[in-house]
Amino acid sequence: MLQLTLYKKIGLLFVCFLLMTACKTSGDQKFKDRKVSFNSDWSFHLNDSIIDKDTIGASTKWSTLNVPHDWNIEGKFDEKSPAGYGGGALNGGLGWYKKTFKVAVEDSTKVTSITFDGVYKDSEVWINGHYLGKRPNGYIGFQYELSPYLNYGDKNNEIIVKVDNSKQPNSRWYSGSGIFRNVWIETTDKLHVAQWGTYVTTPKVTAEKALVNIETTIQNQNTASKKATVTTTIFKEDTKVTSVTQNITIGANANQIIKQNAEVETPVLWSVEKPELYTVVTEIAVDDQIVDQYKTNLGIRDFKFDLNKGFILNGKQVKIKGVCLHHDLGPLGAAINTRAIERQLEIMKEMGVNGIRTSHNPPAPELLDLCDKMGFIVMDEAFDMWKQTKTKYDYGNDWDKWHKKDLIDQLLRDRNHPSIFVWSIGNEIPEQWNEKGVEIAKELAAITRQYDKTRPLTAAMNPPVNMNIDDVTLQFEKNNVQINPLAASGVLDLIGYNYAHQTYEHHQKNFPNTPFIATETTSGLQTRGYYDAVSDTIKKWPVSWDKKFEGGNAGNTVSAYDQVQTPWGSTHEATWKVIKKHDFLSGMYIWTGFDYIGEPTPYEWPSISSYFGIVDLAGFPKDVYYMYQSEWTDKTVLHIFPHWNWKAGQTVDVWAYYNKADEVELFLNGKSVGIRSKKGDDLHVMWKIPFQPGTLKAISRKNGKTVVETEIKTAGNPSNLKLTADRSTIKADGNDLSFVTVDILDAKGTLAPNANNEINLSLKGNGKIVGVCSGDPVSHEPYKGTKHTALAGKCLVIVQSDTKTGRLELTAKANGLKPATIVITAE
Ligand code: GAL
């Protein structure tokens, strides 16, 4: 038996400790990111008179700003805007950005590139007078190599970016204008992993083991061939899981794809409840010196769309409870901010949402990173049109020249995200109705499958029924419909239909071999806090899709009871009831999670933002949010509405959304006005009661025992302001945000539900107010101002840190009301 002396034992323990710490080298601790932010200190000029870069003269006045930047959001809403109210009534224009910078001498032996995550639109870029190229698509990321044209050392470099969003209309929704996503400078060795150069897949996943295939494109920009080792290491947090190494010889100025296989024992799976991530770090070493490192997120999961059982994730059926999102961030416009996206996703998660459709374009990379981290099932969509345009100057004009490159770049950029489960090659594409569309779809499908075979492909098609004829079901049952040639072509892995929930039950008859997904649903319409008198009738606004809307009211509001829908859509309840009922319906993506700027259906000017959101433009939930929460989450829900400020004697419809209970009893000023229970597939209950000021209290019960109680009260006159921050400590990094809600309360602290006071805001400390918004689709007050009129007693203020730490003191005032102050700490 081996006898160890005490010293030997201590020595051995020490060696073990060293080995353990070496193995714990995380991707993060030693990892040197090749990308650095290139967002700050750009000069900007908005002027249609400068039409080419040579006419920029010494007299041109530039302002200094940081990107991401959306110049439109600072503009004035304009009834005559060529963008139309559909585009948010904010004009596009022609903008110029430039930036001077120095590059260290030691980088002269390296490769330096600039990456734009998205520039809307038609951007052109010059470095030191050399033209780098043009990119029409505003939503795609692109990179230019700068090295051949750079000055190194003390001499300046100048980059100029022209952004041309002057041809309008080019979008059916608010696009924003400018360098609206992040910009990065990437410096690598001449031997490096190519841009979007890894492709990590998990062809076999069991509880015991996951096979991980790693395909890496190595790029050698040296004029000599190179011998190197490529090591791919998989980490779980800080712990090394496994590692594979391969020696390569790569020719001069060549690309080489290498394939490596690894195994992860007892993998921790990615799911919507626990989105577990691994990190894959690729290292290229020459003569034992690491010359390049590249990081890829990995989520190990196994999924399929089943003909009978719908979406199966890691062996379990998961109903996709998704929402569609446009890319704007309400009052922040289209300029991306990671915290603002994260907040949107948090609000969606709280409601029970588990899926996001990036309608109708590739999103900011940060959205996908967050979906990976937070657990969403993403449908990543490429296009809103193919060759046939939907608005005069849209991407259809660029289709022939660019669609292939744009699609490939989207696939390369996005295919490692574990949150992406479906590729959508287009939304409501007019060509779906003819053979030309089938031809294009075949081309797009071939490209998609060339770059990723691990996910199914769909298209969000228009339903093959006439939604203007009331009995949609009958049309389908009688086979009195023309199935879209695209759907019939067999090109799609998943049949995706927008709307026509009445037809979903017939899907298996028409497509016995292809699973189904409701790519877009509902299109309910609501204004937060506004209620029409009779709630149990359903209104179609407009009455049919080809008719101009006549009706509504002078204030351009829509009832927030779930009773108003577009003719092509449904109420929220109607579609969810169908999706819920059948296992084979894998899920749905509701139009929309959040309101967005533009497309103010059913209204036109003066409305400028949408009514479709379950949550308004400011981020305040409308009532139907709680219907979904009662159905989609484990939270105990009892939500009663409307507010309790009406005219004496007026009959008010009171709705309740609830769960975990078998009845709800309502009391007005202590007296019961009746018990209600949901029957059959009901999703709410209702009372009609004559208004009397006071307190309306609801109690939900299960087997006679109280589950939860809630009450609403008649508010007196507006008296006080109250400020509540979503986070009262933020990072002093110049980007972080605190979202502060301003509530208008009566003297006793009850929200004044009809208050629409003008709120004046001021901020002391190192930071600024970067957005104000009430969620009112008719408001024309600037989102970038410091005063705003509240809607239904509420308004939102967004405060941004700068790079200095300290106290930020936000004060809200309104005539005749007691002001309020809140302190936010920037750390
Ligand atoms: C759909 C379309 C969406 C949006 C929506 C409004 O047909 O795909 O982009 O326009 O209608 O209801």
Side-chain angles (χ1 to χ4, degrees):
M1 200 174 143
L2 187 66
Q3 295 286 322
L4 294 177
T5 64
L6 183 64
Y7 286 116
K8 275 187 182 150
K9 281 182 188 161
I10 292 171
L12 201 63
L13 277 175
F14 185 64
V15 171
C16 283
F17 170 76
L18 283 182
L19 277 174
M20 274 164 60
T21 38
C23 289
K24 283 193 71 152
T25 310
S26 82
D28 281 335
Q29 281 162 21
K30 272 199 161 173
F31 185 81
K32 188 171 169 281
D33 208 331
R34 16 190 258 192
K35 281 190 341 188
V36 293
S37 172
F38 202 58
N39 284 343
S40 59
D41 295 325
W42 286 81
S43 302
F44 175 69
H45 177 83
L46 182 64
N47 191 338
D48 285 31
S49 65
I50 299 177
I51 46 155
D52 70 61
K53 90 172 183 4
D54 300 323
T55 57
I56 298 176
S59 62
T60 308
K61 292 220 168 27
W62 298 86
S63 55
T64 304
L65 49 79
N66 296 341
V67 300
H69 171 239
D70 168 12
W71 75 71
N72 281 163
I73 204 67
E74 289 153 19
K76 257 185 140 176
F77 297 104
D78 174 5
E79 184 175 6
K80 301 216 163 56
S81 165
Y85 52 84
L90 289 166
N91 297 325
L94 181 69
W96 291 87
Y97 295 83
K98 64 173 188 175
K99 174 162 166 155
T100 31
F101 61 105
K102 291 195 170 68
V103 184
V105 177
E106 53 270 30
D107 287 346
S108 61
T109 57
K110 298 191 173 150
V111 179
T112 301
S113 305
I114 188 164
T115 305
F116 294 89
D117 284 346
V119 182
Y120 201 91
K121 73 188 266 297
D122 271 315
S123 66
E124 288 177 89
V125 184
W126 292 262
I127 178 75
N128 297 333
H130 296 271
Y131 186 63
L132 293 170
K134 173 170 179 154
R135 198 67 183 232
N137 189 330
Y139 298 108
I140 199 74
F142 54 94
Q143 187 175 75
Y144 297 115
E145 188 184 333
L146 304 178
S147 344
Y149 318 106
L150 285 178
N151 303 312
Y152 293 93
D154 282 343
K155 208 165 162 206
N156 270 329
N157 295 283
E158 185 184 57
I159 191 147
I160 295 183
V161 184
K162 175 186 178 184
V163 185
D164 188 355
N165 193 16
S166 58
K167 291 201 201 97
Q168 298 280 350
N170 62 50
S171 177
R172 298 188 299 112
W173 58 86
Y174 174 69
S175 64
S177 297
I179 302 180
F180 69 9
R181 291 182 183 164
N182 287 309
V183 184
W184 309 93
I185 286 284
E186 208 166 356
T187 308
T188 65
D189 189 85
K190 286 189 177 163
L191 181 66
H192 59 98
V193 175
Q195 182 198 17
W196 306 318
T198 57
Y199 181 38
V200 185
T201 53
T202 51
K204 190 152 188 241
V205 178
T206 62
E208 294 75 40
K209 196 183 279 182
L211 300 185
V212 184
N213 288 357
I214 307 122
E215 221 179 87
T216 311
T217 307
I218 312 283
Q219 189 174 4
N220 181 16
Q221 294 184 255
N222 290 290
T223 47
S225 73
K226 287 275 164 186
K227 278 188 177 357
T229 47
V230 180
T231 304
T232 301
T233 309
I234 301 177
F235 292 94
K236 181 81 187 100
E237 273 100 50
D238 282 346
T239 310
K240 177 173 153 183
V241 176
T242 184
S243 179
V244 278
T245 298
Q246 186 171 337
N247 294 325
I248 59 162
T249 304
I250 179 168
N253 288 315
N255 278 11
Q256 186 174 320
I257 296 178
I258 66 157
K259 294 186 177 174
Q260 296 173 306
N261 301 319
E263 287 182 0
V264 174
E265 305 284 338
T266 52
V268 201
L269 301 186
W270 186 100
S271 67
V272 287
E273 298 83 21
K274 285 193 91 197
E276 295 278 354
L277 294 176
Y278 291 80
T279 310
V280 178
V281 176
T282 313
E283 287 174 330
I284 306 178
V286 175
D287 299 333
D288 289 336
Q289 291 292 314
I290 293 174
V291 296
D292 190 40
Q293 288 183 312
Y294 188 92
K295 197 153 74 175
T296 311
N297 278 346
L298 164 68
I300 300 177
R301 78 276 190 280
D302 170 65
F303 76 98
K304 64 173 179 186
F305 284 85
D306 185 85
L307 281 171
N308 300 310
K309 293 264 167 230
F311 180 62
I312 309 287
L313 180 60
N314 304 327
K316 249 179 49 199
Q317 188 184 2
V318 176
K319 191 69 94 176
I320 299 175
K321 299 157 184 159
V323 293
C324 302
L325 292 180
H326 269 318
H327 66 299
D328 79 55
L329 295 167
L332 300 176
I336 81 114
N337 175 290
T338 307
R339 171 58 201 154
I341 301 175
E342 183 182 51
R343 170 183 178 253
Q344 284 199 333
L345 295 178
E346 282 169 0
I347 293 171
M348 292 293 103
K349 257 259 133 122
E350 277 285 294
M351 166 182 145
V353 170
N354 67 10
I356 302 291
R357 171 177 179 230
T358 69
S359 42
H360 305 297
N361 43 258
E366 289 73 13
L367 177 117
L368 296 173
D369 290 339
L370 285 164
C371 288
D372 291 348
K373 253 196 251 165
M374 296 171 75
F376 288 96
I377 298 156
V378 175
M379 178 187 299
D380 194 2
E381 192 154 74
F383 304 111
D384 190 47
M385 74 293 291
W386 294 344
K387 197 173 161 65
Q388 194 170 324
T389 56
K390 292 184 176 175
T391 55
K392 189 164 180 199
Y393 295 107
D394 68 29
Y395 183 76
N397 296 288
D398 302 308
W399 179 260
D400 282 342
K401 197 159 167 222
W402 286 97
H403 72 275
K404 203 167 163 193
K405 171 126 187 84
D406 286 336
L407 181 60
I408 293 172
D409 284 359
Q410 179 186 4
L411 294 163
L412 288 173
R413 188 196 73 164
D414 293 352
R415 63 187 179 169
N416 289 317
H417 285 283
S419 57
I420 298 176
F421 287 85
V422 184
W423 300 115
S424 164
I425 53 172
N427 174 60
E428 299 190 347
I429 301 294
E431 292 98 323
Q432 70 190 290
W433 296 107
N434 56 51
E435 286 307 314
K436 179 79 197 142
V438 175
E439 223 176 88
I440 297 176
K442 280 187 181 154
E443 187 210 359
L444 302 180
I447 295 171
T448 306
R449 288 173 186 137
Q450 182 187 341
Y451 289 91
D452 183 50
K453 285 193 187 64
T454 73
R455 299 166 174 95
L457 176 122
T458 194
M461 292 176 291
N462 294 102
V465 283
N466 184 348
M467 296 301 292
N468 282 340
I469 299 173
D470 264 349
D471 206 338
V472 171
T473 321
L474 214 61
Q475 296 174 53
F476 218 82
E477 272 172 0
K478 286 186 174 162
N479 280 338
N480 192 12
V481 293
Q482 183 214 357
I483 302 279
N484 324 49
L486 174 56
S489 68
V491 176
L492 306 175
D493 301 314
L494 283 178
I495 296 295
Y497 275 122
N498 288 2
Y499 307 100
H501 64 285
Q502 304 92 326
T503 67
Y504 297 170
E505 296 185 321
H506 305 285
H507 170 77
Q508 287 177 309
K509 211 168 69 197
N510 287 285
F511 298 96
N513 304 315
T514 320
F516 175 85
I517 183 138
T519 33
E520 185 175 316
T521 69
T522 316
S523 273
L525 300 166
Q526 278 135 7
T527 304
R528 175 180 58 80
Y530 173 82
Y531 306 90
D532 270 349
V534 180
S535 69
D536 48 356
T537 54
I538 294 193
K539 300 175 191 169
K540 283 191 184 175
W541 284 8
V543 287
S544 82
W545 63 267
D546 49 354
K547 295 230 163 66
K548 218 171 139 66
F549 177 50
E550 278 160 8
N553 54 47
N556 279 17
T557 47
V558 183
S559 176
Y561 293 113
D562 181 13
Q563 65 170 148
V564 189
Q565 60 166 92
T566 51
W568 53 91
S570 76
T571 61
H572 286 273
E573 294 190 3
T575 297
W576 170 235
K577 280 181 189 174
V578 177
I579 298 280
K580 180 181 173 180
K581 201 157 119 195
H582 300 285
D583 280 353
F584 75 89
L585 300 173
S586 56
M588 64 178 189
Y589 289 92
I590 304 163
W591 194 265
T592 46
F594 269 73
D595 275 332
Y596 51 94
I597 306 171
E599 211 181 32
T601 311
Y603 293 107
E604 298 179 359
W605 180 268
S607 296
I608 48 86
S609 61
S610 85
Y611 294 79
F612 294 117
I614 297 164
V615 173
D616 75 12
L617 202 64
F620 303 131
K622 302 176 190 175
D623 296 289
V624 76
Y625 181 92
Y626 300 97
M627 184 278 281
Y628 289 113
Q629 199 176 55
S630 73
E631 286 282 293
W632 290 357
T633 72
D634 282 341
K635 295 178 209 303
T636 305
V637 176
L638 174 58
H639 177 75
I640 54 170
F641 61 102
H643 54 74
W644 208 238
N645 276 60
W646 301 94
K647 290 200 187 89
Q650 183 177 349
T651 300
V652 185
D653 291 2
V654 178
W655 286 36
Y657 294 129
Y658 69 94
N659 61 8
K660 301 187 186 178
D662 35 43
E663 62 178 39
V664 179
E665 185 163 10
L666 194 66
F667 300 86
L668 178 55
N669 295 329
K671 264 192 23 225
S672 175
V673 290
I675 297 176
R676 299 282 186 277
S677 300
K678 292 189 266 195
K679 305 270 180 323
D681 63 357
D682 286 354
L683 297 172
H684 74 272
V685 290
M686 189 188 81
W687 298 256
K688 283 185 182 287
I689 40 180
F691 177 72
Q692 223 180 73
T695 303
L696 194 64
K697 174 170 163 175
I699 302 180
S700 65
R701 296 191 197 97
K702 174 122 192 136
N703 300 327
K705 278 213 188 96
T706 298
V707 175
V708 66
E709 291 185 19
T710 187
E711 57 181 37
I712 48 177
K713 288 186 169 156
T714 307
N717 290 332
S719 158
N720 308 332
L721 295 176
K722 184 180 146 204
L723 297 180
T724 315
D726 71 335
R727 290 182 314 146
S728 48
T729 304
I730 59 176
K731 283 187 233 120
D733 62 0
N735 290 318
D736 205 1
L737 303 172
S738 181
F739 289 84
V740 182
T741 300
V742 186
D743 284 319
I744 304 173
L745 308 178
D746 74 358
K748 291 187 183 147
T750 301
L751 183 84
N754 297 318
N756 53 2
N757 305 61
E758 184 186 83
I759 316 285
N760 281 280
L761 300 145
S762 56
L763 186 73
K764 279 195 214 145
N766 299 314
K768 55 186 178 199
I769 294 170
V770 290
V772 278
C773 182
S774 67
D776 183 355
V778 188
S779 169
H780 295 171
E781 293 160 294
Y783 299 128
K784 291 287 176 189
T786 51
K787 58 179 182 191
H788 214 80
T789 305
L791 173 74
K794 280 181 177 294
C795 183
L796 176 82
V797 192
I798 309 171
V799 173
Q800 184 164 50
S801 61
D802 72 15
T803 49
K804 293 196 197 90
T805 58
R807 265 166 68 97
L808 299 171
E809 209 179 280
L810 177 73
T811 299
K813 292 183 180 161
N815 273 344
L817 306 186
K818 215 168 126 207
T821 295
I822 193 168
V823 174
I824 298 155
T825 310
E827 287 186 349

